[in-house]
Amino acid sequence: MGLVTCVAMARLGHEVAGTDTDPEKIAELRDGRAPFFEPGLREYLAEQMASGRLRFGGRARDVVPTAEAVFICVGTPPTAAGDANLAAVERSAIDVARSADEGMVVIEKSTVPAGTAERVKVTLARERPDLEFEVVSNPEFLREGRALRDALEPHRILVGADSPRGLEVMRSVYEPLSKRGIRLIETDIRTAELAKHACNAFLALKISYANALARICEFAEADVEAVVDVMGSDPRIGREFLKAGLGYGGYCFPKDLAAFERFTRKLGYEFPLLAEVARINEEALEATLEKVRDALWNVEGKRVALLGLAYKPGTDDVRFSPGLALARRLVALGAVVVGYDPQAGEGAKADVPDLELAPDAYAAAEAAHCLVVCTEWEEFRSLDLTRLRSAMVYPVVVDGRNLFDPRAMAEEGFTYYPTGRPPLPPDLRGT
Ligand code: UGA
């Protein structure tokens, strides 16, 4: 999010300087190399560095003093109990305060529980009582895999500010976008902080709703894809984020949901719906594993191929990846697990050393007893099914993302396990 914000802000015409506590990242960036994969990032990074609007410095002192606004984009990882760990936010605030020559607007972009900005404000004031800082909240709604598009063409921009000066600076930062008609929602700081958690928790809830429906459809022999189409055609519900599968993952939903639940509990409000969302998410993974076990009878010693290891397509991010969670479970059951991902192979291997990596989908399928679709990368849609099947020992496909067409799978002779839909189209089911 930090790097995407740097590039996007530079593209909007601002002078941007970015820093990070990891010197290796800064060295890579100064060389014009992006430390992770994100569509378009490499090109935009080169473009903005060449324009002279974007540079990187090794320390806060290199980037903070002349800034009018400072974005804090650090991670807020989960603690063992599920709370958001805000140590990096505090450290950043201290770094900013110590490096500043004058007061400026400090923008909290990291996802944090409501009330954090007040802590940031106190920290800044304690460190530098001689300077006047403003703190504003500006939660980010970008999605990995389409981060630049989301940052440059957002559905809306959210700004929480408790002072006219903070609001003024934020309006000017985002003027290039608001001029194009993109709505700037202005609220108080706590509301903005809370709204971000509310959005992520609700999106996770939609996915879990679809995943629970998928289970019900499997028992009722109905088709979840059609059910969510019907639901989604009602504009009050909307079709997005109703895609059933082996569950949501990534660095945002699991941790934000847990942090939001911990936050509400501390306020004295029990919100068990949030825990239920997480439970259904785990159930979706278990259900996928159950299909593998059902297909293979004994998993031990069998070769299971995973297509897709990133937590979703378009990224090399494997944090909280359902595919990797499945890999770990299969390894624990004694399976030989081989995986292929267009971008995330290395990261996956570092996380699950027992995972074998294949150079492509066909190589992954070679001598496999079962193939599981874990991430719906576009390139998997056009795989040659005949070639895939002939590479496998057993023609079994567990489709954790409903990527394939049941009819095509049946015609190709696969034993096919989709998610929440009948494995065969009605005319091939018999009586
Ligand atoms: C999510 C939110 O969508 C962003 O708005 C937010 O800014 C971001 O978290 C964040 O807080 O930083 P992201 O985690 O990048 O973005 O990815 P999503 O596209 O939301 O997908 C999250 C997970 O849900 C993935 O594992 C994806 O496969 C899964 N998913 C998504 C489904 O299983 N079904 C769906 O219908 C949609």
Side-chain angles (χ1 to χ4, degrees):
M1 189 242 284
L3 181 55
V4 170
T5 303
C6 282
V7 172
M9 285 295 147
R11 216 157 193 261
L12 295 182
H14 301 303
E15 294 280 324
V16 182
T19 188
D20 195 282
T21 51
D22 180 347
E24 264 178 46
K25 267 188 201 159
I26 295 298
E28 272 185 74
L29 288 166
R30 281 179 159 162
D31 270 3
R33 283 179 291 136
F36 55 89
F37 171 74
E38 180 65 37
L41 181 59
R42 204 158 39 107
E43 296 78 2
Y44 278 21
L45 182 65
E47 175 196 276
Q48 292 311 311
M49 287 177 77
S51 78
R53 278 193 297 273
L54 176 58
R55 67 180 177 86
F56 297 94
R59 297 161 310 159
R61 184 73 206 157
D62 302 328
V63 302
V64 168
T66 55
E68 289 166 75
V70 174
F71 284 94
I72 295 183
C73 302
V74 293
T76 51
T79 65
D83 296 289
N85 178 341
L86 301 170
V89 175
E90 183 184 10
R91 268 201 314 275
S92 308
I94 293 172
D95 278 352
V96 170
R98 291 186 184 167
S99 319
D101 290 339
E102 302 173 29
M104 76 264 301
V105 175
V106 176
I107 306 160
E108 169 194 86
K109 224 179 196 347
S110 308
T111 301
V112 292
T116 304
E118 277 147 54
R119 293 286 192 168
V120 170
K121 215 169 184 168
V122 170
T123 304
L124 291 165
R126 272 188 192 144
E127 288 291 323
R128 293 298 296 272
D130 55 317
L131 299 181
E132 284 275 321
F133 292 100
E134 293 292 333
V135 178
V136 300
S137 162
N138 173 216
E140 181 55 62
F141 295 104
L142 61 81
R143 287 159 288 181
E144 288 184 30
R146 46 180 299 153
L148 282 156
R149 209 173 344 150
D150 282 351
L152 291 164
E153 294 162 37
H155 291 124
R156 79 296 209 194
I157 301 154
L158 175 57
V159 170
D162 290 349
S163 74
R165 180 179 156 218
L167 192 57
E168 224 26 73
V169 170
M170 294 312 286
R171 282 183 185 154
S172 73
V173 164
Y174 283 111
E175 197 189 270
L177 292 178
S178 54
K179 251 188 357 213
R180 288 190 353 230
I182 293 167
R183 184 172 167 215
L184 189 78
I185 303 178
E186 298 173 359
T187 71
D188 62 275
I189 295 179
R190 279 178 172 249
T191 303
E193 290 172 323
L194 197 138
K196 167 70 191 198
H197 265 155
C199 287
N200 273 6
F202 189 76
L203 290 170
L205 180 145
K206 275 189 97 174
I207 299 168
S208 277
Y209 194 86
N211 283 333
L213 286 177
R215 300 289 290 142
I216 296 164
C217 285
E218 281 172 11
F219 296 128
E221 294 178 29
D223 185 344
V224 74
E225 294 288 327
V227 171
V228 297
D229 269 348
V230 173
M231 291 175 63
S233 65
D234 183 334
R236 293 172 301 175
I237 298 174
R239 177 67 176 81
E240 283 196 66
F241 281 70
L242 283 177
K243 184 101 184 81
L246 74 165
Y248 60 74
Y251 198 58
C252 300
F253 287 172
K255 82 169 168 69
D256 291 349
L257 196 76
F260 195 37
E261 197 210 350
R262 298 281 299 173
F263 172 74
T264 65
R265 188 174 296 169
K266 279 186 195 151
L267 297 177
Y269 182 77
E270 293 289 331
F271 198 176
L273 183 62
L274 299 180
E276 191 57 15
V277 168
R279 189 197 62 76
I280 294 170
N281 198 50
E282 278 162 32
E283 190 181 82
L285 187 80
E286 283 310 314
T288 310
L289 179 64
E290 226 14 78
K291 287 172 188 150
V292 177
R293 297 176 85 151
D294 181 62
L296 297 183
W297 184 25
N298 293 301
V299 170
E300 197 180 341
K302 302 255 169 58
R303 194 170 172 85
V304 181
L306 305 184
L307 283 197
L309 302 163
Y311 79 97
K312 67 175 209 175
T315 177
D316 59 0
D317 197 343
V318 293
R319 291 175 296 176
F320 296 93
S321 161
L324 277 202
L326 187 70
R328 275 188 214 98
R329 296 295 304 275
L330 288 165
V331 166
L333 291 171
V336 178
V337 185
V338 53
Y340 166 68
D341 190 283
Q343 294 291 340
E346 265 176 52
K349 178 81 184 162
D351 243 36
V352 185
D354 285 323
L355 179 74
E356 268 179 39
L357 284 187
D360 60 45
Y362 301 110
E366 197 62 48
H369 297 88
C370 173
L371 185 143
V372 188
V373 180
C374 298
T375 317
E376 67 279 32
W377 283 93
E378 212 37 53
E379 68 172 62
F380 297 157
R381 286 185 205 282
S382 48
L383 285 172
D384 177 341
L385 295 178
T386 312
R387 193 173 156 200
L388 207 61
R389 188 176 55 82
S390 56
M392 297 177 70
V393 178
Y394 299 163
V396 175
V397 170
V398 174
D399 194 344
R401 296 291 179 190
N402 285 341
L403 181 85
F404 294 118
D405 171 32
R407 182 176 301 279
M409 296 308 275
E411 283 168 4
E412 200 54 58
F414 279 105
T415 305
Y416 180 56
Y417 290 79
T419 302
R421 54 193 326 206
L424 294 174
D427 57 310
L428 297 183
R429 263 175 235 164
T431 48

